[in-house]
Amino acid sequence: MSSTQEQAPRDDRGEAVMAVAEAAGPTGPSPAAGAGPSQPGRSWRGIRALVVRLHFYAGVFVAPFLLVAALTGLAYTFTPQLDQLVYGDQLRVEQVGNGPRPLTEQIAAARDAHPEGTLASVITPPGPEDTTRVVLSLPELGDKQRTVFVDPYTAKVQGELTTWYGSTPLTTWLDDLHRNLHLGETGRLYSEVAASWLWVIVAGGLVLWLGRARGQRARSARGVLLPDRSARGVRRTRGRHAATGVWLAIGLFFLSATGLTWSHYAGDHFRQLLDAAKGHAPELVTTLPGGAETAEGEHAAHGGHGTGHDSASTDPADFDAVLAVARDAGLGGGVELTPPEDAVSAWTVAQDDNRWPVQYDQVAVDPAKGEVTAESRWSDYPALAKLSKLGVQGHMGLLFGLANQILLALIALGLIFVIVWGYRMWWQRRPMRDDRTAVFGKAPARGTWRQLPLPVLIIGVPAVVALGWALPVLGITLIGFLVLDVTAGLVRRGRAA
């Protein structure tokens, strides 16, 4: 995208005049010497001046958050390969056999090796080289589980790991690093800042790059997509920064949007939108026919305290029976079988194949009758629910396998280079004199909002307020930028006085 600073460079290498023209645009003649600063009137050119200033400040202050997100996201991208490298003994079988042993035998082997806790679920192998996962709940692990890995062909236990929603310890650690820097809910603010501002920076950069210098280079696709190889100094850096940003733009917009859907504050508003549009995934009804009346009778008989269902008493043989019913209902591949929470609920069997074409069908099964009591099919998901689900899987690099991972890695690396080039431009444009050289470049001129046409202000201010409500972290940090800007202006004015 465009540079994170658009003020004129300071050297005498023949670039000053061209950079001024490209950065400032056709703003009219300069004021006469000694006449004081000009007060430009309102015009549509004021929009560009405002975008320059916004792009500069957002780039300078938000880029560190984006850099951390890119680096941690790059590390997370290849967790499937890292898991196989680190936990291959648990995840893969030693030799593929002719056919799997009954789940009853596999569960018995897992419980013999690990009798602690209660049996929470069993996940069948998604592929012939994968192990069966027997998931145990232990109070001391909180929201994590102990997963025992069993060879489905020999019923031999190959090890155990502490998992979080099926993720290995390494994947969980990298996921927390990317989401919150291992700082809990407070740390999630960093990733929401990055996601909230990323699309703003990208959009602003595209506006500046496509409309620079009266469109002299933008008249051809080459001028937009490739940097000028004859340029030198800051113009060369800007060309690399901007052209790379154009190539990355769609991917960055996608990552920003999908990241916001499961962020804290903006994510809450997105979920409210799904509520209003009835865009949530359909819930699987797990109550057995007649179960509601039975539950009410038990509730009254026990003085208002539910009896609950002891999962430790679950018959392992039921897993094979329930799996057979689910297979007949069309659930292929790896599935997760979960016993009921109480005596009036059905078993659940759910597909969780995140690779395209995805499989997310679920069924509720009554093992006593050997029948499906309810189902939830991927084809029944509303469009918003499908887009949200697929977007998350694409963001995590799972939707299209290795190709998805490579694409995300290229986007992350490209973003890192764009950020580095942006800061380099700031440094290259620092004012230089014979007696001293500034450490950084100057910020674009203040007061650009005074140049905006009245229709833009009338429409833009409410739009920004609405955007700040929808994306609270964006709104709060924008207010922070304005406060810093006003404070810096007052300090300079005081010094000049």
Side-chain angles (χ1 to χ4, degrees), residues 76-430:
Y76 182 84
T77 296
F78 293 102
T79 50
Q81 288 77 17
L82 293 174
D83 278 345
Q84 293 295 330
L85 181 65
V86 177
Y87 307 112
D89 291 342
Q90 290 92 347
L91 301 176
R92 295 192 302 268
V93 300
E94 296 178 358
Q95 184 176 357
V96 177
N98 295 325
R101 306 289 284 272
L103 290 180
T104 305
E105 295 183 23
Q106 300 181 52
I107 295 169
R111 297 301 278 157
D112 286 343
H114 294 277
E116 69 277 7
T118 56
L119 181 58
S121 64
V122 173
I123 303 174
T124 63
E129 297 182 351
D130 300 315
T131 53
T132 299
R133 304 186 182 195
V134 179
V135 184
L136 308 177
S137 292
L138 283 76
E140 60 269 25
L141 294 181
D143 62 348
K144 296 183 178 180
Q145 305 85 32
R146 177 161 297 157
T147 300
V148 184
F149 298 85
V150 182
D151 186 328
Y153 306 106
T154 64
K156 173 186 174 183
V157 174
Q158 298 198 182
E160 57 84 21
L161 295 172
T162 298
T163 57
W164 181 69
Y165 294 100
S167 297
T168 67
L170 177 59
T171 295
T172 301
W173 191 89
L174 289 173
D175 178 72
D176 283 342
L177 181 67
H178 183 59
R179 281 192 306 128
N180 57 39
L181 302 179
H182 295 284
L183 298 175
E185 287 300 314
T186 302
R188 291 183 67 182
L189 287 173
Y190 114 84
S191 57
E192 188 159 357
V193 168
S196 297
W197 278 97
L198 178 57
W199 69 272
V200 177
I201 296 174
V202 174
L206 288 174
V207 169
L208 296 175
W209 183 239
L210 295 176
R212 74 201 183 289
R214 300 179 182 177
Q216 290 175 3
R217 279 179 54 78
R219 292 172 183 169
S220 67
R222 178 181 177 85
V224 173
L225 300 176
L226 297 175
D228 185 357
R229 298 179 62 181
S230 64
R232 296 293 182 268
V234 68
R235 293 180 59 235
R236 170 186 284 181
T237 306
R238 182 181 57 233
R240 293 172 175 174
H241 171 88
T244 304
V246 171
W247 284 98
L248 299 177
I250 294 178
L252 294 177
F253 280 133
F254 169 79
L255 292 177
S256 176
T258 53
L260 286 170
T261 59
W262 80 77
S263 63
H264 188 179
Y265 299 102
D268 286 344
H269 288 165
F270 178 72
R271 286 182 284 276
Q272 291 174 18
L273 172 64
L274 291 181
D275 290 338
K278 297 182 179 180
H280 287 288
E283 294 185 5
L284 179 67
V285 179
T286 58
T287 303
L288 291 172
E293 293 80 2
T294 302
E296 290 176 1
E298 291 179 351
H299 184 80
H302 289 275
H305 297 282
T307 60
H309 180 74
D310 184 6
S311 61
S313 63
T314 300
D315 185 357
D318 286 343
F319 281 89
D320 288 298
V322 170
L323 179 60
V325 174
R327 295 301 191 204
D328 290 340
L331 271 68
V335 296
E336 181 172 9
L337 300 95
T338 305
E341 295 181 354
D342 49 54
V344 296
S345 297
W347 286 60
T348 61
V349 184
Q351 294 177 314
D352 193 24
D353 185 357
N354 297 313
R355 188 165 182 175
W356 185 265
V358 297
Q359 299 181 58
Y360 295 127
D361 290 350
Q362 301 180 68
V363 294
V365 177
D366 181 355
K369 296 181 179 180
E371 64 182 19
V372 172
T373 61
E375 63 181 22
S376 171
R377 301 290 180 176
W378 170 247
S379 58
D380 298 329
Y381 277 46
L384 275 177
K386 286 184 176 180
L387 289 174
S388 177
K389 185 77 171 179
L390 295 176
V392 168
Q393 303 312 317
H395 189 116
M396 298 175 67
L398 302 175
L399 188 58
F400 298 109
L402 183 60
N404 199 159
Q405 294 175 272
I406 293 174
L407 180 60
L408 287 179
L410 291 175
I411 293 174
L413 290 171
L415 180 58
I416 292 170
F417 278 107
V418 167
I419 292 170
V420 171
W421 283 324
Y423 279 117
R424 176 171 171 77
M425 280 188 292
W426 189 24
W427 178 80
Q428 286 178 314
R429 285 180 166 175
R430 67 198 189 282

Side-chain angles (χ1 to χ4, degrees), residues 415-458:
L415 180 58
I416 292 170
F417 278 107
V418 167
I419 292 170
V420 171
W421 283 324
Y423 279 117
R424 176 171 171 77
M425 280 188 292
W426 189 24
W427 178 80
Q428 286 178 314
R429 285 180 166 175
R430 67 198 189 282
M432 296 182 65
R433 299 178 182 174
D434 294 336
D435 55 339
R436 64 186 178 87
T437 300
V439 178
F440 300 112
K442 290 183 179 179
R446 300 181 67 247
T448 54
W449 64 272
R450 298 187 185 93
Q451 305 172 33
L452 295 176
L454 285 177
V456 173
L457 284 175
I458 294 172

